[in-house]
Amino acid sequence: MEDRVLVVGGGTIGLATGFELVRQGTPVTLFERNDAGRGTSWQAAGMLAPDAEIGFEELSLYGLNRESLRRWPDFARRVEAASGMDVDYRDEGTLIVADDRDSAEALRRLFEFQEEQGLDVDWLTGEEAREIEPFLAPRLTAAIFCPSDHQVDNRRFLEATRTAFEAEGGTLHEQTPVEVVQPDPDAPAVVTADGERVEGGQVLVAAGVWSRDLDGLTPEAQPPVRPVKGQMLQLRRKTPFDLQHVVRGPDAYLAPKSDGRIVMGATSEEMGFDTTVTAGGLYDLLEGGWEVVPGIYDLPVDETWAGLRPASRDHAPLLGRTGAPGVCMATGHYRHGILLTPVTAEEMARLLRTGETSTWLEPFSPRRFSGTQSSNVSP
Amino acid sequence: MEDRVLVVGGGTIGLATGFELVRQGTPVTLFERNDAGRGTSWQAAGMLAPDAEIGFEELSLYGLNRESLRRWPDFARRVEAASGMDVDYRDEGTLIVADDRDSAEALRRLFEFQEEQGLDVDWLTGEEAREIEPFLAPRLTAAIFCPSDHQVDNRRFLEATRTAFEAEGGTLHEQTPVEVVQPDPDAPAVVTADGERVEGGQVLVAAGVWSRDLDGLTPEAQPPVRPVKGQMLQLRRKTPFDLQHVVRGPDAYLAPKSDGRIVMGATSEEMGFDTTVTAGGLYDLLEGGWEVVPGIYDLPVDETWAGLRPASRDHAPLLGRTGAPGVCMATGHYRHGILLTPVTAEEMARLLRTGETSTWLEPFSPRRFSGTQSSNVSP
C-alpha cells in the first residue's frame, strides 16, 4: 500500500503537517491553489493568545489552544533548524487594555473569569501598564497583562515552514488547485484543475475556507466552514515610537514584529468571499488603534488587506477522519490557525502515520457535524 | 534663431503649455523626470473651485482662478478634439457643508464674504442640500451651493493632454530628468542627468516642487517653491451609493468621477519631500468624509497616496520671465494646478511666442521674490 499523503492546501496547517510527516519519513505531496503560505495564514497577525481570548470560546477549545501554545517554542525551533530561518518568536506577553468605563468593566469581568480558571494574569493600573509599555495612551485606566500569550511573525514562519517542508523532502505543487477528492479506503486520489489524477495512501484536506468547495465528498463529509472576513493593516515602526507587547484594545489590536512591521486588526464580517478593504473597515481599525496607542498617528501605513477566517458552525476546528474513506481533514481553525499549528501538525501527523486519534483531537472530529448536516439535505 | 521651446516638467502645466505652443506652430521638446502626467497633477482631485476657496486666497489670485475656470470648457474641448479622449468635465457644482455649530458659523461667514464679492452662490438648509445630494449626512444643518465650481477627471485630462501634445507634433522625453538649466538670451539650454546638452530658443521651467532643484540658476532666479504634502485616498462607487456633486466638509472633500472613482482629500502638511501615507492622515480623511457622507462606510478603498503641492512664499504661482535670460517659469501653483492650467497654458504660450506679458500674468511675475531673496543670500 502506498503510504504517500496528499495534502490539499498550502497554508500554515498544510505546510506544517506536511513538514511533520516528511521529517518522520512519510512521503507527502502538497497541492496549493496559489502560492504556498500566501493565503489566510499570511494575512493573520501571528498572535498566540489563548489567555486573552479565553472568554470567547468553549473551554475545550481553550485547552487545545493552551496545549498548542505549550508546544510552540519547540515546534518553532524545529522549523528554524530545518529551514535555517528565524521565525521571530516573541514572548514579551500581551496587554489587554480598556479606554473607558464600559471597556474597563468588561475587562474586569474577563480578568475575574481568567482568575477563576487559574490563568497566570495580572491586573494593572493604567500607570503600571505604561511602565512596561510607555506608548500606551495616557488616558487608559486599566490593563490585564497576559505574560503567557506570545506571538510569532506568521509571514516568516510560513516561509520557514515551506522551506523546511521541502528541505525534508516534501513535494510542493503550487498554482495547482485541486478540484475533486476521490475517497477510497486504500487508494484515495485528488484531481487537479488541469485534470491530472494523483493517487495516494491518504488525503488530508487543509484548504481553509476553500475546503468546502471540493467536489467528490458526500454532503455529510463536506466541512461546514464559511469565511469570516477580517480587514487589517500594517504600519511601519519609526523612531522614537516603539512597541514591545501585543496590545489588544476594545476595537483593535496591535502586534509589533521585530522587523518593524506593526500588524493591526481586525474587523469581523460575514461577507462571503469578499475581500475588499473598505472605508469603514480602515476607519474603525485606525480609530481603535489610535485610541489605545496614539503614537501610531505618524507611522506609515504599509499595506492594507482583508483575510478570510475559516469558521465552522461551532467555531472550533475540524480535525481528524471524515466520513469519506481515506480522507482526513484539518480545517476550520477560525481565529486560531497560527496558534493551533503545532498541535494540529503533530497530532494529525500521528493520526495519518499510525491511525491513532489522540485525546487532543477527539472533541474536534469532523464527524460531529454529520448528523445535523444530513438532516439538512434531501434524501 | 531657434524658436524651439524646451519645457522642463511633464505635469499639467508643462503638457498643456506644450500643447498650446505646438498647436500654434512653435516646436517643443518636453523633458519629464518620470512618466509624463504621473506626478503631482495625477495625485490631485481635479476640483475647479475658485468660489469655494475664495476665503483662503488673495483676491488677485481669485481673479486668475475665475478667469481660468471661464476658459476651462473651451480648453477641455480643444484637448478632447486633439486627443480623441474624454476628460470628464463635470458642471454639477460644489456643495460646501457644515456638520456642527462651529463649522456652520464658519460656513455662514464664508457665504457672507462670497455674497459681498458678488459670487453666484446659494445658502441651503440641510434638507435642501439633501434634496440635491441625497447621500449627505442627515445631521448636516447647512450648505453653500456653488453652481459655478466644476471639476474634471484630472487623470483623464492628463492622458488626453499628453496625447494631444504628441498628436500636434510635440517631442516628449520621459524618464529624462533635467539637472541643469543654462540661461542665455539667444540659445539657452538644458543638461539632462545623462549629460546630454540640448539647446533651444527659450526654456520654460514647469517642474512643480522640483523646480527649485535645478542647477544653473542664480539664487535670485530660483523659484522659492516648497512641497506641501497632501494625503489622499480613492474610493470606488458601489450601488446604491451615488454622489453627483463635489462635497467639501470641514475636514475632507469628496470628488466623484464618472468612472466610479471618488477622490477624497486632503491633509496639508509641511513635511518636505516625504510622501508616506500615515495612520493619522488616513484616519482624519476617513473620519472627515464619513461625517459628511456616511454612506462611504461600505465603499472599497482603491488607492491611497500623498502628493506634493508646489507652494511659493505667498501661495500664488510664478508665471513669466525670470531674472535668467531665456528662461521662463510656470510653477508654484500650490492647490490650483489643475484649475489654473488653461490660463497658464494660453498666457505662457503667448509670452513665449510673442514676448507679450498679458495683464493676467503681471501680478504673478517670478521676479516679485528676487528683492527679498537676494537680501537673504551672501554677497
Side-chain angles (χ1 to χ4, degrees):
Chain A
M1 177 179 143
E2 161 82 272
D3 66 350
R4 179 169 294 272
V5 174
L6 308 179
V7 177
V8 182
T12 189
I13 300 298
L15 286 170
T17 308
F19 166 64
E20 276 301 299
L21 287 167
V22 289
R23 82 175 183 86
Q24 294 177 48
T26 299
V28 173
T29 301
L30 191 154
F31 301 86
E32 163 55 39
R33 55 201 291 274
N34 291 319
D35 294 326
R38 293 296 177 122
T40 304
S41 315
W42 183 262
Q43 291 150 357
M47 295 184 296
L48 311 174
D51 288 359
E53 300 202 346
I54 187 171
F56 310 110
E57 316 284 0
E58 297 281 332
L59 285 178
S60 68
L61 184 54
Y62 173 74
L64 188 71
N65 285 343
R66 202 74 194 70
E67 174 64 14
S68 199
L69 177 57
R70 194 187 65 76
R71 299 185 189 194
W72 244 104
D74 278 349
F75 195 83
R77 273 189 288 272
R78 215 146 64 219
V79 168
E80 290 180 330
S83 65
M85 297 164 79
D86 171 19
V87 304
D88 192 27
Y89 187 88
R90 294 183 62 164
D91 61 2
E92 289 92 338
T94 293
L95 285 159
I96 319 175
V97 300
D99 68 345
D100 62 13
R101 196 157 161 167
D102 284 353
S103 60
E105 278 174 19
L107 196 68
R108 191 79 217 180
R109 287 194 297 276
L110 172 61
F111 179 69
E112 283 161 6
F113 182 67
Q114 289 172 322
E115 289 229 297
E116 276 168 37
Q117 302 300 323
L119 273 55
D120 170 30
V121 289
D122 297 313
W123 182 263
L124 306 181
T125 64
E127 203 175 331
E128 288 165 340
R130 279 184 295 279
E131 269 168 34
I132 64 169
E133 193 60 77
F135 281 85
L136 290 178
R139 67 197 190 84
L140 297 189
T141 53
I144 300 172
F145 181 45
C146 306
S148 310
D149 278 357
H150 298 165
Q151 63 161 327
V152 68
D153 186 330
N154 49 300
R155 296 188 175 181
R156 290 196 186 192
F157 173 72
L158 287 159
E159 291 181 343
T161 308
R162 175 212 159 108
T163 301
F165 169 67
E166 293 195 298
E168 296 285 345
T171 302
L172 180 58
H173 294 304
E174 297 183 289
Q175 310 296 337
T176 311
V178 166
E179 289 196 340
V180 184
V181 172
Q182 297 179 333
D184 186 278
D186 298 317
V190 300
V191 183
T192 69
D194 289 342
E196 196 193 355
R197 183 176 184 279
V198 182
E199 213 172 89
Q202 295 179 85
V203 170
L204 171 65
V205 175
V209 290
W210 295 276
S211 301
R212 197 177 192 161
D213 290 344
L214 296 165
D215 289 334
L217 297 177
T218 59
E220 289 78 8
Q222 279 176 347
V225 288
R226 70 182 195 284
V228 178
K229 174 179 172 181
Q231 297 189 47
M232 318 229 347
L233 61 89
Q234 180 175 298
L235 308 176
R236 180 70 50 181
R237 190 178 57 216
K238 217 173 74 178
T239 318
F241 181 87
D242 197 13
L243 202 65
Q244 292 297 323
H245 303 79
V246 171
V247 176
R248 302 169 73 105
D251 301 307
Y253 58 75
L254 300 95
K257 308 301 177 189
S258 299
D259 64 359
R261 298 189 300 127
I262 297 171
V263 182
M264 275 182 62
T267 65
S268 192
E269 304 165 69
E270 301 282 352
M271 296 286 289
F273 281 86
D274 171 79
T275 55
T276 51
V277 171
T278 64
L282 289 188
Y283 175 45
D284 290 345
L285 292 182
L286 289 166
E287 184 176 53
W290 176 77
E291 279 172 355
V292 297
V293 185
I296 65 167
Y297 193 87
D298 290 321
L299 300 188
V301 178
D302 258 15
E303 202 184 320
T304 62
W305 68 93
L308 300 173
R309 308 175 186 92
S312 71
R313 280 208 293 278
D314 60 8
H315 287 183
L318 288 80
L319 306 173
R321 287 205 189 82
T322 69
V327 180
C328 285
M329 202 158 274
T331 186
H333 289 76
Y334 193 38
R335 305 180 174 280
H336 304 303
I338 305 295
L339 170 58
L340 287 173
T341 291
V343 76
T344 301
E346 290 171 7
E347 298 303 327
M348 288 303 298
R350 170 141 68 131
L351 172 64
L352 289 158
R353 283 175 53 80
T354 68
E356 185 192 335
T357 296
S358 78
T359 51
W360 289 112
L361 298 187
E362 269 164 18
F364 305 103
S365 165
R367 283 179 277 192
R368 72 187 183 276
F369 295 111
S370 305
T372 317
Q373 192 172 29
S374 61
S375 72
N376 286 334
V377 298
S378 311
Chain B
M1 177 179 143
E2 161 81 272
D3 66 349
R4 179 169 294 271
V5 174
L6 308 179
V7 178
V8 182
T12 188
I13 300 299
L15 286 170
T17 307
F19 166 64
E20 276 301 299
L21 287 167
V22 289
R23 81 175 184 86
Q24 295 177 50
T26 299
V28 173
T29 301
L30 191 154
F31 302 86
E32 162 55 40
R33 55 201 291 277
N34 291 317
D35 295 326
R38 294 296 177 121
T40 304
S41 315
W42 183 262
Q43 290 149 358
M47 295 184 297
L48 310 174
D51 288 0
E53 301 203 344
I54 187 173
F56 309 110
E57 316 284 0
E58 296 282 332
L59 285 178
S60 69
L61 184 54
Y62 173 74
L64 188 72
N65 286 343
R66 200 75 194 70
E67 173 63 14
S68 199
L69 177 58
R70 193 186 66 74
R71 300 185 188 192
W72 243 104
D74 278 349
F75 195 83
R77 273 190 287 272
R78 214 145 65 218
V79 167
E80 289 180 332
S83 65
M85 297 163 80
D86 171 20
V87 305
D88 191 30
Y89 188 88
R90 295 184 62 165
D91 62 3
E92 289 92 339
T94 294
L95 286 159
I96 319 174
V97 300
D99 69 344
D100 62 12
R101 196 156 163 169
D102 284 352
S103 60
E105 277 174 21
L107 196 69
R108 192 80 218 179
R109 285 193 299 276
L110 172 61
F111 179 70
E112 284 161 7
F113 181 68
Q114 289 172 321
E115 290 228 298
E116 276 169 37
Q117 301 299 323
L119 273 54
D120 170 30
V121 290
D122 297 314
W123 183 263
L124 305 182
T125 64
E127 203 174 331
E128 289 165 340
R130 279 183 296 279
E131 269 169 35
I132 63 169
E133 193 60 77
F135 281 85
L136 290 179
R139 68 197 189 84
L140 297 188
T141 53
I144 300 171
F145 181 44
C146 306
S148 310
D149 278 357
H150 298 165
Q151 63 160 327
V152 67
D153 185 331
N154 50 300
R155 296 189 175 181
R156 290 196 188 193
F157 173 71
L158 287 159
E159 290 180 345
T161 308
R162 177 212 158 109
T163 301
F165 170 67
E166 292 195 298
E168 297 285 346
T171 302
L172 180 58
H173 294 305
E174 298 183 288
Q175 311 296 335
T176 310
V178 166
E179 290 196 338
V180 184
V181 172
Q182 296 179 333
D184 187 277
D186 299 316
V190 300
V191 183
T192 69
D194 289 342
E196 195 192 355
R197 184 176 183 280
V198 182
E199 214 172 88
Q202 294 179 86
V203 170
L204 171 64
V205 174
V209 290
W210 295 276
S211 301
R212 197 177 192 162
D213 291 344
L214 296 166
D215 288 334
L217 298 176
T218 58
E220 289 77 9
Q222 278 177 348
V225 290
R226 71 182 195 284
V228 178
K229 175 179 173 182
Q231 297 190 49
M232 318 229 347
L233 59 90
Q234 180 175 299
L235 307 177
R236 180 68 54 179
R237 191 177 58 216
K238 217 173 74 178
T239 318
F241 180 88
D242 197 12
L243 202 65
Q244 292 298 324
H245 303 78
V246 171
V247 175
R248 302 170 72 103
D251 301 307
Y253 58 75
L254 300 94
K257 307 302 176 189
S258 300
D259 65 359
R261 298 190 300 128
I262 298 171
V263 181
M264 276 182 62
T267 64
S268 193
E269 303 165 71
E270 300 283 353
M271 296 285 289
F273 281 85
D274 171 77
T275 56
T276 52
V277 171
T278 63
L282 289 186
Y283 175 47
D284 290 344
L285 292 180
L286 290 165
E287 183 176 54
W290 175 77
E291 278 172 355
V292 297
V293 186
I296 64 167
Y297 193 88
D298 290 321
L299 301 188
V301 178
D302 259 15
E303 202 183 320
T304 61
W305 69 92
L308 299 174
R309 308 175 186 91
S312 71
R313 278 207 294 277
D314 60 8
H315 287 183
L318 288 80
L319 306 173
R321 287 205 189 82
T322 68
V327 180
C328 286
M329 201 157 276
T331 187
H333 289 77
Y334 193 37
R335 304 180 174 280
H336 304 304
I338 305 295
L339 169 59
L340 286 173
T341 290
V343 76
T344 302
E346 290 170 7
E347 299 302 329
M348 289 304 298
R350 170 140 69 131
L351 172 64
L352 289 159
R353 283 176 54 79
T354 67
E356 186 192 334
T357 296
S358 78
T359 52
W360 290 112
L361 297 188
E362 269 164 19
F364 304 103
S365 164
R367 282 179 277 192
R368 72 187 183 277
F369 295 111
S370 305
T372 318
Q373 193 171 30
S374 61
S375 73
N376 287 335
V377 297
S378 312

